[in-house]
Amino acid sequence: MRAYPEKTSKLARWSQRLAVFGAATCLVGVALGRFAVFPLLQSLAVFGAGQALCALALVLALAAYAEIWRNGARGLPKANLGLLVALSALAFPGYLVVQAYSLPRINDISTDLRDPPVFSRARSAVEARGGHVPPDEPPQTREAQRLAYRDVAPVILDVSPEEAYKLALEAAQQLKWQIVDRSPPSVRVRTGRLDAIDRSLILRFPDDITIRIRGLGNDTRVDVRSVSRVGRHDFGVNAARIRRYTDLLLQLSKGI
């Protein structure tokens, strides 16, 4: 009997190729943005192109499965690899999409909704932020925060403003925030301030932070405000940052 060569799925082959190339393009986009090789928007464009290739590879992998099932074509390992690589590259953006639908479209979170801490306009702070000063947000934004992040609250410490300032500074330094301005409280002026910059883990987007230390009789209240400089949706990053900071601040205060 004459043997006929088995058909190899071209869809599976192209799924693997596009997934690998797309994932590599995503990594290049991240590297360009992280190390400031290209401007931010150009780096995001490269990353977005990689995501589009991975999405196409995912579709081709699913089509390849149908072809292999229907015609008995070869290429299942290539389709599997294309699917796994594409899903890995699309996992984090997919998580952000879920966050975007479940959280309000805001990028400015504060522990004080009535009187949010104001960012420093000192020359050193403004220069460190590239001339940017986060603007005040309308009441609608604060109401959206109140409904979405009810656990974001100020920290009340049973210490003097001077001691609270030292703890606040230590907590910021432990989190490796870049301190761009500081104004410690004194016996006469019982309000202090810290301004800092934190950066996102992957693309190193800058986020601006200001911390207000205010004496209240025998206690001290610490308020934190965190604002994303890029984009109108922070995907919950600022609230998570404030929680992480206030938790650390409370831990440090227990060691006094």
Side-chain angles (χ1 to χ4, degrees):
M1 179 180 291
R2 185 176 180 180
Y4 291 93
E6 294 185 14
K7 179 182 178 182
T8 300
S9 172
K10 292 182 179 179
L11 294 174
R13 185 185 305 121
W14 276 105
S15 173
Q16 174 185 297
R17 291 175 178 175
L18 288 177
V20 172
F21 185 71
T25 303
C26 290
L27 292 176
V28 170
V30 169
L32 293 176
R34 186 177 181 86
F35 299 107
V37 178
F38 280 5
L40 184 58
L41 290 179
Q42 294 182 18
S43 301
L44 285 176
V46 174
F47 182 79
Q51 290 289 294
L53 290 174
C54 288
L56 180 57
L58 179 62
V59 173
L60 292 180
L62 296 176
Y65 287 140
E67 181 183 21
I68 292 169
W69 174 265
R70 185 175 60 253
N71 301 331
R74 300 175 59 184
L76 183 60
K78 296 181 184 297
N80 288 338
L81 181 60
L83 180 71
L84 291 175
V85 173
L87 286 176
S88 299
L90 294 170
F92 182 67
Y95 165 77
L96 294 182
V97 170
V98 174
Q99 291 291 87
Y101 278 99
S102 61
L103 296 174
R105 189 172 177 266
I106 55 179
N107 67 352
D108 186 333
I109 304 296
S110 172
T111 58
D112 190 337
L113 300 181
R114 295 184 178 180
D115 181 24
V118 177
F119 283 87
S120 171
R121 293 180 178 270
R123 176 179 296 180
S124 60
V126 175
E127 288 180 353
R129 293 193 296 258
H132 176 71
V133 178
D136 295 333
E137 291 291 330
Q140 295 86 344
T141 298
R142 298 303 173 200
E143 178 62 16
Q145 176 198 322
R146 187 186 67 81
L147 295 174
Y149 305 110
R150 296 181 181 275
D151 61 326
V152 174
V155 176
I156 307 298
L157 300 177
D158 187 20
V159 297
S160 68
E162 293 81 5
E163 292 173 321
Y165 173 82
K166 293 178 182 178
L167 292 173
L169 178 59
E170 182 180 353
Q173 291 172 337
Q174 286 195 20
L175 292 174
K176 302 186 184 304
W177 292 354
Q178 176 190 352
I179 307 298
V180 298
D181 190 37
R182 62 180 73 180
S183 178
S186 63
V187 176
R188 187 171 61 88
V189 181
R190 292 172 57 80
T191 300
R193 185 191 65 251
L194 290 169
D195 273 46
I197 296 174
D198 190 22
R199 293 185 178 274
S200 62
L201 180 62
I202 298 178
L203 289 175
R204 307 295 291 171
F205 290 157
D207 294 337
D208 300 309
I209 307 153
T210 186
I211 304 164
R212 184 178 63 205
I213 302 97
R214 177 182 291 172
L216 300 173
N218 296 325
D219 299 325
T220 301
R221 171 171 170 159
V222 180
D223 282 294
V224 187
R225 182 181 172 192
S226 180
V227 183
S228 296
R229 204 182 301 174
V230 179
R232 284 297 304 167
H233 203 312
D234 67 359
F235 307 102
V237 169
N238 288 300
R241 176 181 293 113
I242 291 176
R243 293 188 197 103
R244 189 165 58 250
Y245 178 80
T246 54
D247 288 345
L248 178 57
L249 185 60
L250 288 172
Q251 290 177 14
L252 292 174
S253 68
K254 294 177 182 178
I256 296 179

